[in-house]
Amino acid sequence: TDEDRDRDEPRHIASLLAFFGIRQGMTVADLMASRGYLAGTLAGIVGDTGKVYAQNSPRLLERFKGADPIAERITETGLTNTVSVICELEDLKLPAGSLDVILSFMFYHDTIWVGTDRAAMNASVFTALKPGAIFAVVDHHAAAGSGASVAQTMHRIERKLVVDEVTAAGFMLTDETDLLENPDDPLDVLVFDKTVRDRTHKFAMKFQKPG
């Protein structure tokens, strides 16, 4: 949609998804896909020979008054390679050992304040991925030493905490990119503040399942 295209530029979405290795024929998942901005982009890249699982939690659907925004997008845009998955993050209803890439796009911090069992979530991601496959994590930087303390108030999270938790699940941090970095972000304001909105200092990390 035109609205989605307007969101592409500040996210450097083409370069970002190329960094994560998304390509035609892959099977990928977008966690907490909301209305499906990223899932729709992924569907166009993986094509008819690929598949996109767009996951939302039952709790998130409360925002949409019980409606499934992914199902609506599939109907409206004719996506034939996209599947809506309604499940909790701790127990992803994804076929074990079958996915090439799973993406956590600017929501890892939200798992803090909603009370997600992140160890269980990361273990579930690990189970769903093929050996050698990628867990892609993008989020807003918080100041060093802040950990998860500003996850709800500023919607930020410290990079080190994410690395520690994801690697504890068995993943290896194999690469990261500076595509979304902005050293002018003071890190002490809400990410929706007009001074930094769409221009926050973000990390984008590539974790790999061994194998």
Side-chain angles (χ1 to χ4, degrees):
T1 66
D2 290 341
E3 182 182 0
D4 286 346
R5 292 181 188 279
D6 289 343
R7 302 173 70 184
D8 287 347
E9 185 176 357
R11 291 166 172 77
H12 301 285
I13 203 67
S15 298
L16 184 66
L17 296 181
F19 167 74
F20 288 130
I22 310 296
R23 60 184 182 273
Q24 187 174 10
M26 280 189 162
T27 299
V28 303
D30 178 21
L31 301 185
M32 297 296 278
S34 189
R35 295 183 183 275
Y37 157 72
L38 185 61
T41 305
L42 293 167
I45 297 173
V46 303
D48 292 340
T49 58
K51 179 176 284 189
V52 177
Y53 293 98
Q55 178 267 343
N56 278 313
S57 71
R59 176 171 176 170
L60 184 118
L61 293 192
E62 294 175 6
R63 292 175 46 194
F64 301 103
K65 299 181 179 179
D68 180 354
I70 299 300
E72 292 177 356
R73 178 180 281 261
I74 291 170
T75 300
E76 292 169 359
T77 61
L79 294 177
T80 59
N81 63 350
T82 303
V83 178
S84 174
V85 181
I86 308 301
C87 65
E88 300 294 352
L89 288 164
E90 295 93 335
D91 184 21
L92 295 172
K93 304 303 183 184
L94 300 172
S98 67
L99 276 80
D100 297 292
V101 181
I102 295 178
L103 297 102
S104 166
F105 192 64
M106 292 192 288
F107 86 85
Y108 198 101
H109 68 273
D110 288 320
T111 64
I112 306 293
W113 63 272
V114 301
T116 301
D117 182 336
R118 297 186 304 284
M121 175 187 73
N122 291 331
S124 192
V125 171
F126 191 92
T127 296
L129 288 168
K130 297 175 181 176
I134 299 300
F135 184 24
V137 183
V138 179
D139 215 327
H140 310 274
H141 274 289
S146 61
S149 63
V150 296
Q152 184 169 9
T153 55
M154 296 184 191
H155 289 266
R156 299 175 179 269
I157 190 168
E158 186 179 2
R159 173 189 172 279
K160 181 181 182 300
L161 177 63
V162 177
V163 173
D164 289 348
E165 292 187 351
V166 176
T167 55
F171 289 97
M172 302 178 296
L173 175 60
T174 56
D175 204 358
E176 54 191 309
T177 178
D178 62 0
L179 273 169
L180 302 180
E181 291 185 358
N182 176 15
D184 294 329
D185 178 359
L187 306 184
D188 60 358
V189 295
L190 179 67
V191 299
F192 305 116
D193 188 280
K194 64 181 181 180
T195 62
V196 295
R197 188 179 181 99
D198 289 329
R199 301 186 306 279
T200 56
H201 189 37
K202 303 179 190 73
F203 52 80
M205 299 185 289
K206 185 186 294 185
F207 296 92
Q208 187 173 28
K209 179 177 178 176

